[in-house]
Short mmCIF file of all heavy atoms in Angstrom, two decimals:
data_model
loop_
_atom_site.label_atom_id
_atom_site.label_comp_id
_atom_site.label_asym_id
_atom_site.label_seq_id
_atom_site.Cartn_x
_atom_site.Cartn_y
_atom_site.Cartn_z
N ALA A 14 0.83 -1.21 0.00
CA ALA A 14 0.00 0.00 0.00
C ALA A 14 0.86 1.26 0.00
O ALA A 14 0.59 2.21 -0.74
CB ALA A 14 -0.94 0.00 1.20
N LEU A 15 1.91 1.27 0.82
CA LEU A 15 2.78 2.45 0.90
C LEU A 15 3.53 2.67 -0.41
O LEU A 15 3.69 3.82 -0.85
CB LEU A 15 3.75 2.30 2.08
CG LEU A 15 3.07 2.17 3.46
CD1 LEU A 15 4.11 1.91 4.55
CD2 LEU A 15 2.24 3.41 3.77
N VAL A 16 3.97 1.59 -1.05
CA VAL A 16 4.65 1.70 -2.34
C VAL A 16 3.68 2.20 -3.41
O VAL A 16 4.01 3.08 -4.21
CB VAL A 16 5.29 0.34 -2.73
CG1 VAL A 16 5.68 0.32 -4.20
CG2 VAL A 16 6.48 0.05 -1.85
N LEU A 17 2.47 1.65 -3.42
CA LEU A 17 1.47 2.09 -4.40
C LEU A 17 1.15 3.57 -4.24
O LEU A 17 0.96 4.28 -5.23
CB LEU A 17 0.21 1.25 -4.29
CG LEU A 17 0.31 -0.17 -4.85
CD1 LEU A 17 -0.91 -0.99 -4.42
CD2 LEU A 17 0.46 -0.16 -6.36
N ARG A 18 1.09 4.02 -3.01
CA ARG A 18 0.84 5.45 -2.79
C ARG A 18 1.95 6.28 -3.40
O ARG A 18 1.70 7.28 -4.07
CB ARG A 18 0.70 5.74 -1.30
CG ARG A 18 0.46 7.20 -1.01
CD ARG A 18 0.24 7.49 0.48
NE ARG A 18 0.47 8.90 0.71
CZ ARG A 18 1.59 9.40 1.22
NH1 ARG A 18 2.56 8.61 1.63
NH2 ARG A 18 1.73 10.69 1.36
N GLN A 19 3.19 5.87 -3.18
CA GLN A 19 4.32 6.62 -3.73
C GLN A 19 4.34 6.58 -5.26
O GLN A 19 4.64 7.58 -5.91
CB GLN A 19 5.64 6.10 -3.16
CG GLN A 19 5.82 6.42 -1.69
CD GLN A 19 5.79 7.91 -1.41
OE1 GLN A 19 6.33 8.72 -2.15
NE2 GLN A 19 5.13 8.29 -0.32
N ILE A 20 4.00 5.42 -5.84
CA ILE A 20 3.91 5.34 -7.30
C ILE A 20 2.83 6.31 -7.79
O ILE A 20 3.04 7.03 -8.76
CB ILE A 20 3.59 3.90 -7.77
CG1 ILE A 20 4.77 2.97 -7.49
CG2 ILE A 20 3.27 3.88 -9.27
CD1 ILE A 20 4.46 1.49 -7.73
N GLY A 21 1.70 6.32 -7.10
CA GLY A 21 0.61 7.22 -7.48
C GLY A 21 1.02 8.68 -7.43
O GLY A 21 0.72 9.45 -8.33
N VAL A 22 1.73 9.05 -6.39
CA VAL A 22 2.19 10.43 -6.25
C VAL A 22 3.14 10.77 -7.40
O VAL A 22 2.98 11.81 -8.06
CB VAL A 22 2.87 10.66 -4.88
CG1 VAL A 22 3.59 12.00 -4.83
CG2 VAL A 22 1.85 10.55 -3.76
N CYS A 23 4.11 9.91 -7.65
CA CYS A 23 5.08 10.18 -8.72
C CYS A 23 4.40 10.26 -10.08
O CYS A 23 4.69 11.16 -10.88
CB CYS A 23 6.16 9.09 -8.75
SG CYS A 23 7.34 9.17 -7.40
N CYS A 24 3.50 9.32 -10.35
CA CYS A 24 2.81 9.33 -11.64
C CYS A 24 1.96 10.59 -11.79
O CYS A 24 1.90 11.18 -12.87
CB CYS A 24 1.95 8.07 -11.80
SG CYS A 24 2.93 6.60 -12.12
N SER A 25 1.33 11.01 -10.72
CA SER A 25 0.54 12.24 -10.76
C SER A 25 1.42 13.44 -11.07
O SER A 25 1.05 14.30 -11.87
CB SER A 25 -0.19 12.43 -9.42
OG SER A 25 -0.85 13.66 -9.38
N LEU A 26 2.58 13.50 -10.47
CA LEU A 26 3.49 14.63 -10.68
C LEU A 26 3.97 14.75 -12.12
O LEU A 26 4.22 15.84 -12.61
CB LEU A 26 4.70 14.53 -9.74
CG LEU A 26 4.41 14.80 -8.26
CD1 LEU A 26 5.60 14.39 -7.40
CD2 LEU A 26 4.06 16.26 -8.03
N VAL A 27 4.08 13.60 -12.81
CA VAL A 27 4.57 13.62 -14.20
C VAL A 27 3.43 13.57 -15.21
O VAL A 27 3.66 13.44 -16.40
CB VAL A 27 5.61 12.52 -14.47
CG1 VAL A 27 6.84 12.72 -13.61
CG2 VAL A 27 5.02 11.13 -14.31
N GLY A 28 2.18 13.64 -14.72
CA GLY A 28 1.04 13.71 -15.64
C GLY A 28 0.48 12.37 -16.09
O GLY A 28 -0.35 12.33 -16.99
N ARG A 29 0.89 11.29 -15.45
CA ARG A 29 0.31 9.98 -15.76
C ARG A 29 -0.89 9.77 -14.84
O ARG A 29 -0.88 8.95 -13.93
CB ARG A 29 1.37 8.88 -15.59
CG ARG A 29 2.49 8.97 -16.62
CD ARG A 29 3.60 7.98 -16.37
NE ARG A 29 3.12 6.62 -16.18
CZ ARG A 29 3.87 5.63 -15.71
NH1 ARG A 29 5.13 5.84 -15.38
NH2 ARG A 29 3.36 4.42 -15.56
N HIS A 30 -1.93 10.54 -15.08
CA HIS A 30 -3.05 10.65 -14.15
C HIS A 30 -3.84 9.36 -13.99
O HIS A 30 -4.25 9.02 -12.88
CB HIS A 30 -3.96 11.81 -14.56
CG HIS A 30 -3.24 13.12 -14.61
ND1 HIS A 30 -2.72 13.72 -13.47
CD2 HIS A 30 -2.93 13.93 -15.64
CE1 HIS A 30 -2.13 14.85 -13.81
NE2 HIS A 30 -2.24 15.01 -15.11
N ARG A 31 -4.08 8.65 -15.07
CA ARG A 31 -4.86 7.42 -14.97
C ARG A 31 -4.14 6.38 -14.11
O ARG A 31 -4.72 5.79 -13.21
CB ARG A 31 -5.15 6.86 -16.36
CG ARG A 31 -5.95 5.57 -16.33
CD ARG A 31 -6.55 5.23 -17.69
NE ARG A 31 -6.99 3.88 -17.84
CZ ARG A 31 -7.94 3.28 -17.13
NH1 ARG A 31 -8.56 3.93 -16.17
NH2 ARG A 31 -8.28 2.04 -17.36
N HIS A 32 -2.85 6.19 -14.37
CA HIS A 32 -2.09 5.22 -13.57
C HIS A 32 -2.00 5.68 -12.11
O HIS A 32 -2.08 4.87 -11.19
CB HIS A 32 -0.70 5.00 -14.17
CG HIS A 32 0.03 3.87 -13.56
ND1 HIS A 32 -0.40 2.56 -13.65
CD2 HIS A 32 1.16 3.83 -12.80
CE1 HIS A 32 0.44 1.77 -12.99
NE2 HIS A 32 1.39 2.52 -12.47
N ALA A 33 -1.84 6.99 -11.92
CA ALA A 33 -1.80 7.52 -10.56
C ALA A 33 -3.07 7.18 -9.81
O ALA A 33 -3.02 6.70 -8.66
CB ALA A 33 -1.59 9.03 -10.60
N GLN A 34 -4.21 7.38 -10.44
CA GLN A 34 -5.49 7.11 -9.78
C GLN A 34 -5.66 5.64 -9.45
O GLN A 34 -6.13 5.28 -8.36
CB GLN A 34 -6.65 7.60 -10.64
CG GLN A 34 -7.93 7.72 -9.87
CD GLN A 34 -7.84 8.70 -8.72
OE1 GLN A 34 -7.50 9.86 -8.92
NE2 GLN A 34 -8.09 8.26 -7.51
N ILE A 35 -5.25 4.77 -10.37
CA ILE A 35 -5.35 3.32 -10.12
C ILE A 35 -4.51 2.94 -8.90
O ILE A 35 -4.98 2.23 -8.01
CB ILE A 35 -4.90 2.53 -11.38
CG1 ILE A 35 -5.94 2.69 -12.49
CG2 ILE A 35 -4.67 1.05 -11.05
CD1 ILE A 35 -5.47 2.21 -13.85
N CYS A 36 -3.28 3.43 -8.85
CA CYS A 36 -2.40 3.11 -7.72
C CYS A 36 -2.92 3.69 -6.41
O CYS A 36 -2.92 3.01 -5.37
CB CYS A 36 -0.99 3.61 -8.00
SG CYS A 36 -0.14 2.72 -9.31
N LEU A 37 -3.37 4.93 -6.45
CA LEU A 37 -3.85 5.57 -5.23
C LEU A 37 -5.13 4.92 -4.72
O LEU A 37 -5.32 4.76 -3.51
CB LEU A 37 -4.04 7.06 -5.45
CG LEU A 37 -2.73 7.84 -5.63
CD1 LEU A 37 -2.99 9.23 -6.17
CD2 LEU A 37 -1.95 7.89 -4.33
N ASP A 38 -6.01 4.52 -5.64
CA ASP A 38 -7.24 3.83 -5.22
C ASP A 38 -6.91 2.50 -4.54
O ASP A 38 -7.48 2.17 -3.49
CB ASP A 38 -8.17 3.58 -6.42
CG ASP A 38 -8.84 4.84 -6.92
OD1 ASP A 38 -8.81 5.87 -6.22
OD2 ASP A 38 -9.39 4.79 -8.05
N GLU A 39 -5.99 1.74 -5.14
CA GLU A 39 -5.61 0.46 -4.52
C GLU A 39 -4.93 0.68 -3.18
O GLU A 39 -5.18 -0.04 -2.21
CB GLU A 39 -4.72 -0.35 -5.46
CG GLU A 39 -4.41 -1.74 -4.89
CD GLU A 39 -3.58 -2.62 -5.81
OE1 GLU A 39 -3.26 -2.22 -6.95
OE2 GLU A 39 -3.24 -3.74 -5.36
N ALA A 40 -4.07 1.70 -3.11
CA ALA A 40 -3.39 2.00 -1.85
C ALA A 40 -4.41 2.34 -0.76
O ALA A 40 -4.31 1.82 0.36
CB ALA A 40 -2.41 3.16 -2.04
N GLU A 41 -5.39 3.17 -1.09
CA GLU A 41 -6.40 3.53 -0.09
C GLU A 41 -7.18 2.31 0.38
O GLU A 41 -7.45 2.15 1.57
CB GLU A 41 -7.35 4.59 -0.64
CG GLU A 41 -6.79 5.98 -0.58
CD GLU A 41 -7.85 7.04 -0.70
OE1 GLU A 41 -8.46 7.40 0.33
OE2 GLU A 41 -8.08 7.50 -1.85
N THR A 42 -7.53 1.43 -0.55
CA THR A 42 -8.26 0.21 -0.19
C THR A 42 -7.43 -0.66 0.75
O THR A 42 -7.94 -1.14 1.78
CB THR A 42 -8.64 -0.58 -1.47
OG1 THR A 42 -9.50 0.24 -2.27
CG2 THR A 42 -9.35 -1.88 -1.12
N LEU A 43 -6.16 -0.85 0.42
CA LEU A 43 -5.29 -1.66 1.27
C LEU A 43 -5.07 -1.02 2.63
O LEU A 43 -5.04 -1.72 3.65
CB LEU A 43 -3.94 -1.89 0.58
CG LEU A 43 -3.95 -2.83 -0.62
CD1 LEU A 43 -2.63 -2.75 -1.38
CD2 LEU A 43 -4.25 -4.26 -0.19
N LEU A 44 -4.95 0.28 2.65
CA LEU A 44 -4.71 0.97 3.92
C LEU A 44 -5.93 0.94 4.83
O LEU A 44 -5.78 1.01 6.06
CB LEU A 44 -4.25 2.41 3.68
CG LEU A 44 -2.83 2.52 3.11
CD1 LEU A 44 -2.54 3.94 2.65
CD2 LEU A 44 -1.80 2.05 4.14
N GLN A 45 -7.12 0.82 4.27
CA GLN A 45 -8.31 0.67 5.10
C GLN A 45 -8.20 -0.59 5.97
O GLN A 45 -8.63 -0.59 7.12
CB GLN A 45 -9.58 0.61 4.25
CG GLN A 45 -9.97 1.93 3.64
CD GLN A 45 -10.19 3.02 4.69
OE1 GLN A 45 -10.79 2.80 5.74
NE2 GLN A 45 -9.67 4.20 4.40
N ALA A 46 -7.61 -1.63 5.42
CA ALA A 46 -7.48 -2.88 6.16
C ALA A 46 -6.16 -3.01 6.91
O ALA A 46 -6.12 -3.67 7.95
CB ALA A 46 -7.62 -4.06 5.18
N HIS A 47 -5.09 -2.41 6.41
CA HIS A 47 -3.76 -2.69 6.95
C HIS A 47 -3.00 -1.47 7.46
O HIS A 47 -1.95 -1.63 8.07
CB HIS A 47 -2.90 -3.38 5.88
CG HIS A 47 -3.51 -4.62 5.33
ND1 HIS A 47 -3.54 -5.81 6.01
CD2 HIS A 47 -4.16 -4.84 4.15
CE1 HIS A 47 -4.16 -6.73 5.28
NE2 HIS A 47 -4.55 -6.17 4.15
N GLY A 48 -3.51 -0.28 7.21
CA GLY A 48 -2.75 0.92 7.56
C GLY A 48 -3.19 1.55 8.87
O GLY A 48 -4.26 1.25 9.40
N SER A 49 -2.34 2.42 9.34
CA SER A 49 -2.67 3.20 10.53
C SER A 49 -3.60 4.34 10.13
O SER A 49 -3.73 4.67 8.95
CB SER A 49 -1.39 3.77 11.14
OG SER A 49 -0.87 4.79 10.28
N PRO A 50 -4.25 4.97 11.11
CA PRO A 50 -5.06 6.14 10.77
C PRO A 50 -4.27 7.22 10.04
O PRO A 50 -4.76 7.83 9.10
CB PRO A 50 -5.56 6.63 12.14
CG PRO A 50 -5.59 5.39 12.98
CD PRO A 50 -4.39 4.59 12.53
N ALA A 51 -3.01 7.43 10.45
CA ALA A 51 -2.18 8.43 9.78
C ALA A 51 -1.91 8.03 8.33
O ALA A 51 -1.94 8.88 7.43
CB ALA A 51 -0.87 8.63 10.53
N ASP A 52 -1.65 6.74 8.08
CA ASP A 52 -1.45 6.26 6.70
C ASP A 52 -2.67 6.54 5.84
O ASP A 52 -2.56 6.96 4.69
CB ASP A 52 -1.17 4.75 6.68
CG ASP A 52 0.17 4.36 7.26
OD1 ASP A 52 1.11 5.18 7.20
OD2 ASP A 52 0.27 3.22 7.74
N ARG A 53 -3.85 6.29 6.42
CA ARG A 53 -5.09 6.50 5.66
C ARG A 53 -5.30 7.99 5.33
O ARG A 53 -5.72 8.34 4.23
CB ARG A 53 -6.29 5.92 6.43
CG ARG A 53 -6.26 4.40 6.47
CD ARG A 53 -7.55 3.81 6.99
NE ARG A 53 -7.76 4.01 8.41
CZ ARG A 53 -7.29 3.23 9.37
NH1 ARG A 53 -6.57 2.17 9.07
NH2 ARG A 53 -7.54 3.48 10.63
N LEU A 54 -4.98 8.85 6.29
CA LEU A 54 -5.12 10.29 6.05
C LEU A 54 -4.13 10.77 4.99
O LEU A 54 -4.48 11.56 4.12
CB LEU A 54 -4.94 11.07 7.35
CG LEU A 54 -6.04 10.87 8.39
CD1 LEU A 54 -5.64 11.48 9.73
CD2 LEU A 54 -7.36 11.43 7.90
N GLN A 55 -2.90 10.28 5.05
CA GLN A 55 -1.90 10.66 4.06
C GLN A 55 -2.32 10.18 2.66
O GLN A 55 -2.12 10.89 1.67
CB GLN A 55 -0.53 10.09 4.42
CG GLN A 55 0.09 10.79 5.60
CD GLN A 55 1.35 10.11 6.10
OE1 GLN A 55 1.61 8.95 5.82
NE2 GLN A 55 2.14 10.86 6.84
N ALA A 56 -2.92 9.01 2.59
CA ALA A 56 -3.39 8.49 1.30
C ALA A 56 -4.51 9.36 0.75
O ALA A 56 -4.55 9.64 -0.46
CB ALA A 56 -3.84 7.04 1.44
N ARG A 57 -5.41 9.79 1.63
CA ARG A 57 -6.48 10.71 1.17
C ARG A 57 -5.89 12.01 0.64
O ARG A 57 -6.34 12.54 -0.38
CB ARG A 57 -7.46 11.02 2.32
CG ARG A 57 -8.48 9.94 2.56
CD ARG A 57 -9.43 10.27 3.70
NE ARG A 57 -10.25 11.46 3.46
CZ ARG A 57 -10.95 12.08 4.41
NH1 ARG A 57 -10.95 11.62 5.64
NH2 ARG A 57 -11.67 13.14 4.11
N LEU A 58 -4.89 12.53 1.34
CA LEU A 58 -4.23 13.75 0.89
C LEU A 58 -3.62 13.54 -0.49
O LEU A 58 -3.79 14.38 -1.39
CB LEU A 58 -3.16 14.17 1.90
CG LEU A 58 -2.43 15.46 1.56
CD1 LEU A 58 -3.24 16.66 2.01
CD2 LEU A 58 -1.06 15.48 2.21
N SER A 59 -2.94 12.42 -0.68
CA SER A 59 -2.32 12.13 -1.98
C SER A 59 -3.37 12.00 -3.08
O SER A 59 -3.16 12.49 -4.20
CB SER A 59 -1.50 10.84 -1.90
OG SER A 59 -0.42 10.99 -1.01
N THR A 60 -4.47 11.35 -2.78
CA THR A 60 -5.53 11.17 -3.78
C THR A 60 -6.14 12.51 -4.18
O THR A 60 -6.36 12.78 -5.37
CB THR A 60 -6.61 10.21 -3.25
OG1 THR A 60 -5.99 8.93 -3.00
CG2 THR A 60 -7.74 10.03 -4.23
N LEU A 61 -6.40 13.36 -3.20
CA LEU A 61 -6.96 14.68 -3.51
C LEU A 61 -5.96 15.54 -4.29
O LEU A 61 -6.34 16.26 -5.21
CB LEU A 61 -7.40 15.39 -2.24
CG LEU A 61 -8.69 14.86 -1.62
CD1 LEU A 61 -8.94 15.52 -0.26
CD2 LEU A 61 -9.86 15.10 -2.54
#
């Protein structure tokens, strides 16, 4: 989940928006089950 979030952030920064969204969506889903509250908030920030 943490790696997917970082991939999503990097892809978003370089304009690969579709891939960024796919990675960030999967990261958020995984973090709902496996992440800390802080991880989930950071993922929301990245997605927005």
